[in-house]
Amino acid sequence: MNLQAVSGRAGVAGTRLCAGSGDERELRKERATPSPGPPAAPDTDEARALKIVDGMPAHAWAADAAGQITYASPSTFAYLGVAQETLNSPDGEDEFGWRRLIHPDDYERVAARWRHCLRTGDHYDAEHRLRRADGVYRWVRNSGRPSRDADGNIAGWYGTTIDIEDLKQVEAELRARERELSHLVDMVPSHLWRLTPDGEPIFFNKRMVDFLGLDVADTDRPGKSRLDVVIEAVHPDDAAAFRGALEHCLATGENFALRYRLRRADGVYHWMSSRGEPVRDENGRIVQWYGLCHDIDDQMRAEEALRGRERELSKLVDMVPSLLWRLDPGGEPIFFNRRSIDFLGLDASAFDKPGTSRFDAVIASIVHPQDAPAVAEALGRCLATGAQFFMRYRLRRVDGVYRWMSGRAEPLRDDHGRIVQWYGLTVDIDDQMQAEEALRRSEHRLQQMIDAVPVRIWSATPTGGPIYFNKRYQDYLRSVIPEFDSLEQPSIERFVQELIHPDDAATVLHTLGESFETGSSTVMRFRWRERDGTYRWAECRVEPRRDPDGTIGQWYGVSLDIDDEVRAQEALQQASERLATATQAASLAELSASIAHEVNQPLAAIVANSHACHRWLGSDPPNLERVRSTVERIIRNANSAASVVSRIRALFRQTIETRSRSSLDGLVTEARGLLAQLAVKVQASIQTRVESDIPPIPFDRVQIQQVLINLMRNGLEAMQASPGPRTLRVGARRDGNFVRVEVGDSGPGVENPDKIFDAFFTTKESGMGMGLAISRSIVESHGGRLWVEGGKGRGATFVFTLPIEPPDA
């Protein structure tokens, strides 16, 4: 009896959704009320058909020629959660009455397909989502076939609706697995290729395309086969052997294995180890060749040692412990693959022992005695029930060593559901088990370290609910909160209120709440209560751990005791304040010393000119002309002393006097004239050289002259005790956007170049140690630098720079 016939008969006796005939109503009445009288006659075909339809693991339905549902099996109403009279109630917008049951994204497609089938008589097949009684949409497959009358016209439709949600999920998983495998093929660190039965390339993985610099489509060349184009990339010395070996394998179907040199895209040849195997159809005909090409250039260059290692690796690959076995329905072993035989050192025939079943003999011979009872019981239960077998146990290797294995077995059934064989796979997981044990030990050590580290560590849910505290934190919480262990759902708010200083609690709660809301990390400092009731400063750092999609999975926090650090900072702040007060007092002393030091030179000049004036007045007759010029020099020196005092005061007030653009040439000449008498006194010459390409630059003439005179005077005084010619060199040249001024002497050099610019540091018996310190301050206030070059015994060159444009430009 076919499904259409069964559905047709069931449509007569089953539940209809429209007003039925009197016979139908009578039949329903007979089904509802047992008939009195003699025993019921055997089931009719219609009754049997109805039972079959009602017992199907699917929803049966029938419709009239217009597409309106006239019948649905009882399971349909329970599945959909609707009443009979509401299943088929079309309206203006819902011509078939399905809109509220079919997923909105699928409705138009399903309705269009149904209309097409009603019009053409094509078989109706559609997959869509249907709303179950609990409101959940599940994928179903709807199939319907038309029933025609004697004239061939469609009289009605009969069909089934099958839930395929699980199948859809499996298909999605398979597609994801397919994408993963495709990615694996492209990312595997070897070259994968596929050939036709005739040897024409049809696929290269991405790594091979990148290596060769061409894809399969790039091998299409006029007058050449694809294989010939590929062989062109093989080293000329290996091409003949490569072609011969491949042609032999293509002709005989033998596996392909060869080592040869292959040209990379940049023209460099690399040694390759290539292997290929044929894939055959059910009749044994080769349908494709699959191959792997692995770069072994480094191994080949290692010669004999590397070849020995390669043989070892090849042997290891051949001995990978993947054991295949087969049992008959009663559990008797009937097959072990080569690896199983090599691993166990036994063949299937070795388990033939009088008085013992092969099943018991196998378990007793190869399974660890501690695992054998559990394996026998589990496998026996699977043999009896047909359930899948999965278990971890230890197997004895041929050398007597037991290794952990993961065993799986599934039954193969015939068309009637009877088990005809069991197929099993055993994988060596001994290394994995040892790694898991090592991981457990590592986790234990890590946990011990976390518990022992002298900080308090905690974690929380994405919303801030605490879920973990390390042992140090737990001990602290138990000492401060006696009922800590009895808290079922501890909250951050309660911990903050009970543990943190009242002045800091609100800020901490606000900061944590903002961090949990925005997902940003934070650092806080606050005071928390210790066991004795005192408060100590702590620093808490909170960081989120995000999933690959950026979603916060957990929050991690660490709290550090920084009370000693905070106390030290407070002490340091107090010391800094005291130092600032002392520095102010020192600055006043420094100002006084600076004025005394810098005004000494012009005052000395005033005294010298006064003596000269006195001599000219005392001559007979008095030299009034010389007296007049000497008095003018006295006035200039007095004004210079006043300017020095004014500039030094401005310097220490950190103010900037008006600067005008001037020529360095005139400044150097004037400084040379002022120090001419000192040069004569120390028997030294002054050489000056100012480059002609130096433009006028902005500077305070008095201050820079003060710097230049100070450096020149120091150089002259340094050479006073030096033997041989004494020359002071003064030069100026352009250096990029600066002017570089150098004052060099032939004296004994500088012994402490790092300290010479410090205030009150001097190498002179009568010096104050302020000249160079003030000079550096003046130069730096102009935007330049002052330093010294040369070491002890080699003379000294003092260099300072001035910007061509003012710093604020």
Side-chain angles (χ1 to χ4, degrees):
M1 182 182 299
N2 59 36
L3 176 61
Q4 199 174 71
V6 172
S7 298
R9 292 188 179 93
V12 175
T15 303
R16 290 185 176 273
L17 303 182
C18 59
S21 64
D23 293 338
E24 294 168 346
R25 290 193 297 271
E26 189 64 29
L27 180 57
R28 289 198 297 272
K29 181 178 180 182
E30 292 174 1
R31 291 179 62 196
T33 306
S35 301
D43 290 344
T44 64
D45 289 344
E46 293 180 349
R48 285 196 297 273
L50 181 60
K51 290 181 179 180
I52 293 173
V53 170
D54 290 346
M56 288 172 56
H59 310 302
W61 53 268
D64 58 20
Q68 300 299 324
I69 302 298
T70 59
Y71 166 81
S73 58
S75 63
T76 305
F77 303 111
Y79 183 85
L80 298 177
V82 298
Q84 299 179 10
E85 60 273 8
T86 62
L87 181 61
N88 193 20
S89 56
D91 55 32
E93 296 182 357
D94 189 3
E95 56 185 306
F96 302 115
W98 305 344
R99 186 179 293 274
R100 62 183 178 278
L101 299 176
I102 297 176
H103 195 281
D105 295 343
D106 302 337
Y107 176 77
E108 294 300 334
R109 173 175 55 82
V110 173
R113 177 62 184 170
W114 183 232
R115 286 192 292 269
H116 170 79
C117 294
L118 293 175
R119 185 174 65 255
T120 63
D122 292 346
H123 290 176
Y124 173 66
D125 285 292
E127 293 183 0
H128 59 85
R129 287 162 287 184
L130 194 64
R131 191 182 66 198
R132 204 167 53 184
D134 57 1
V136 176
Y137 284 97
R138 293 179 64 86
W139 280 98
V140 299
R141 178 178 290 121
N142 231 332
S143 300
R145 303 292 184 268
S147 174
R148 301 180 183 273
D149 57 18
D151 297 328
N153 298 321
I154 297 176
W157 290 79
Y158 301 94
T160 58
T161 301
I162 302 174
D163 189 311
I164 61 170
E165 177 69 22
D166 296 337
L167 177 61
K168 282 288 188 179
Q169 294 181 4
V170 171
E171 289 176 350
E173 293 175 359
L174 289 177
R175 285 192 295 271
R177 182 61 176 169
E178 182 180 359
R179 289 192 298 270
E180 180 181 353
L181 291 177
S182 176
H183 182 68
L184 177 63
V185 167
D186 283 339
M187 295 305 296
V188 68
S190 296
H191 305 158
L192 303 180
W193 45 266
R194 193 166 71 240
L195 307 179
T196 65
D198 298 331
E200 288 296 298
I202 55 177
F203 170 77
F204 297 149
N205 74 334
K206 184 177 183 300
R207 193 173 291 270
M208 188 169 185
V209 171
D210 294 340
F211 182 89
L212 295 175
L214 54 85
D215 203 348
V216 173
D218 301 325
T219 60
D220 291 329
R221 309 278 177 83
K224 290 186 178 181
S225 68
R226 287 182 171 181
L227 183 59
D228 291 336
V229 175
V230 173
I231 293 179
E232 290 179 356
V234 178
H235 195 281
D237 295 343
D238 305 333
F242 179 88
R243 183 184 294 275
L246 185 58
E247 290 177 350
H248 173 77
C249 294
L250 293 174
T252 62
E254 297 177 3
N255 291 346
F256 171 79
L258 189 66
R259 290 182 177 181
Y260 53 90
R261 285 161 289 183
L262 192 63
R263 188 179 65 232
R264 202 168 56 186
D266 58 0
V268 177
Y269 285 95
H270 271 228
W271 276 100
M272 296 289 170
S273 175
S274 186
R275 295 179 178 271
E277 293 186 6
V279 176
R280 302 176 185 271
D281 61 13
E282 297 170 347
N283 299 320
R285 291 189 298 270
I286 296 176
V287 296
Q288 280 185 351
W289 285 81
Y290 287 88
L292 178 144
C293 187
H294 186 65
D295 191 321
I296 59 167
D297 195 71
D298 294 336
Q299 291 86 335
M300 293 297 291
R301 295 181 184 278
E303 295 183 349
E304 185 59 34
L306 194 54
R307 285 195 294 272
R309 184 182 177 187
E310 183 182 6
R311 287 193 297 270
E312 180 182 355
L313 292 175
S314 178
K315 187 180 299 183
L316 288 175
V317 169
D318 290 339
M319 294 302 295
V320 169
S322 296
L323 315 181
L324 297 175
W325 42 272
R326 192 166 74 242
L327 308 178
D328 66 12
E332 294 296 304
I334 55 178
F335 169 78
F336 291 105
N337 71 337
R338 184 73 255 169
R339 296 192 188 280
S340 300
I341 296 172
D342 294 342
F343 181 85
L344 300 173
L346 301 170
D347 199 349
S349 59
F351 303 110
D352 293 328
K353 297 182 180 180
T356 304
S357 68
R358 298 179 76 187
F359 176 82
D360 295 333
V362 168
I363 292 179
S365 300
I366 65 176
V367 181
H368 194 283
Q370 295 178 359
D371 304 333
V375 173
E377 192 276 333
L379 189 56
R381 183 172 61 254
C382 293
L383 293 172
T385 62
Q388 295 181 355
F389 170 77
F390 171 72
M391 194 173 181
R392 291 183 175 184
Y393 48 87
R394 287 163 287 183
L395 282 186
R396 181 179 56 79
R397 201 166 55 186
V398 64
D399 57 0
V401 175
Y402 286 93
R403 294 184 64 84
W404 278 101
M405 297 286 174
S406 175
R408 293 178 179 270
E410 293 187 4
L412 174 66
R413 301 178 185 270
D414 59 16
D415 296 339
H416 302 287
R418 292 189 297 267
I419 297 176
V420 295
Q421 279 186 352
W422 285 82
Y423 287 89
L425 170 70
T426 302
V427 179
D428 190 323
I429 61 168
D430 195 76
D431 295 336
Q432 176 185 340
M433 294 292 288
Q434 293 181 11
E436 290 177 355
E437 179 62 26
L439 179 60
R440 284 191 290 270
R441 291 195 299 268
S442 176
E443 289 178 348
H444 180 67
R445 289 194 298 268
L446 178 60
Q447 186 62 50
Q448 287 180 325
M449 182 179 67
I450 292 175
D451 291 338
V453 69
V455 295
R456 299 168 184 177
I457 302 172
W458 56 275
S459 64
T461 63
T463 58
I467 56 177
Y468 170 77
F469 300 97
N470 71 335
K471 185 176 183 301
R472 185 176 295 271
Y473 214 153
Q474 292 182 35
D475 294 343
Y476 164 73
L477 292 174
R478 290 189 184 96
S479 66
V480 180
I481 305 176
E483 67 277 13
F484 170 74
D485 290 325
S486 63
L487 296 176
E488 296 182 359
Q489 293 183 341
S491 65
I492 292 289
E493 291 79 4
R494 176 172 181 178
F495 288 152
V496 170
Q497 295 296 337
E498 293 198 19
L499 303 178
I500 296 178
H501 194 284
D503 295 344
D504 304 335
T507 302
V508 171
L509 279 177
H510 174 75
T511 304
L512 284 176
E514 187 177 55
S515 183
F516 293 149
E517 182 178 352
T518 62
S520 59
S521 57
T522 185
V523 179
M524 301 172 292
R525 288 192 173 190
F526 51 82
R527 291 161 290 179
W528 61 10
R529 181 163 55 92
E530 291 296 329
R531 299 176 177 86
D532 57 1
T534 61
Y535 286 93
R536 292 181 62 85
W537 279 99
E539 180 176 276
C540 180
R541 296 176 178 269
V542 183
E543 292 280 349
R545 179 185 62 78
R546 299 182 182 272
D547 298 333
D549 59 357
T551 304
I552 295 177
Q554 273 190 356
W555 286 90
Y556 290 96
V558 58
S559 298
L560 307 172
D561 188 312
I562 60 168
D563 194 73
D564 295 338
E565 176 186 346
V566 172
R567 305 299 182 194
Q569 288 178 349
E570 292 176 352
L572 179 61
Q573 179 64 29
Q574 294 174 0
S576 298
E577 292 175 356
R578 291 194 298 269
L579 178 61
T581 302
T583 301
Q584 291 175 357
S587 298
L588 293 176
E590 182 180 352
L591 176 60
S592 300
S594 300
I595 295 174
H597 179 275
E598 295 303 326
V599 83
N600 182 62
Q601 182 65 30
L603 289 178
I606 292 173
V607 172
N609 287 323
S610 297
H611 285 301
C613 184
H614 184 268
R615 286 196 302 273
W616 296 124
L617 287 174
S619 62
D620 189 18
N623 192 339
L624 298 180
E625 184 64 27
R626 289 293 185 93
V627 170
R628 184 179 296 107
S629 62
T630 303
V631 170
E632 290 176 354
R633 286 199 299 270
I634 292 174
I635 294 172
R636 287 198 302 271
N637 291 333
N639 290 332
S640 177
S643 297
V644 168
V645 173
S646 176
R647 295 301 192 275
I648 292 178
R649 293 181 62 194
L651 178 64
F652 281 92
R653 288 198 306 270
Q654 296 183 351
T655 60
I656 299 177
E657 296 293 333
T658 303
R659 298 170 182 174
S660 59
R661 291 186 178 271
S662 301
S663 172
L664 277 178
D665 193 4
L667 187 68
V668 171
T669 302
E670 186 175 346
R672 178 180 179 180
L674 289 174
L675 294 173
Q677 292 183 357
L678 179 60
V680 172
K681 180 180 179 181
V682 300
Q683 298 180 356
S685 63
I686 301 177
Q687 296 179 357
T688 61
R689 182 179 180 182
V690 180
E691 299 288 346
S692 60
D693 62 343
I694 299 177
I697 60 176
F699 60 86
D700 187 309
R701 187 176 182 86
V702 173
Q703 288 185 349
I704 298 302
Q705 185 183 63
Q706 180 183 351
V707 172
L708 189 58
I709 291 176
N710 194 5
L711 298 179
M712 292 173 66
R713 184 177 64 246
N714 287 344
L716 292 171
E717 292 175 351
M719 294 187 295
Q720 188 171 1
S722 298
R726 302 166 186 168
T727 303
L728 184 70
R729 300 174 304 278
V730 181
R733 59 185 174 86
R734 182 164 183 167
D735 187 5
N737 294 326
F738 289 84
V739 172
R740 178 185 176 105
V741 180
E742 298 179 356
V743 178
D745 60 61
S746 56
V750 179
E751 184 176 359
N752 298 290
D754 296 334
K755 297 182 178 181
I756 198 170
F757 294 101
D758 293 345
F760 304 110
F761 180 85
T762 180
T763 59
K764 304 176 184 178
E765 294 182 359
S766 59
M768 297 180 62
M770 292 302 301
L772 291 178
I774 295 173
S775 297
R776 172 172 277 186
S777 299
I778 292 173
V779 172
E780 290 178 351
S781 69
H782 279 70
R785 293 176 53 231
L786 171 61
W787 70 94
V788 63
E789 296 177 352
K792 183 178 180 181
R794 295 178 296 171
T797 300
F798 286 82
V799 184
F800 68 91
T801 60
L802 296 173
I804 294 177
E805 296 297 333
D808 57 354

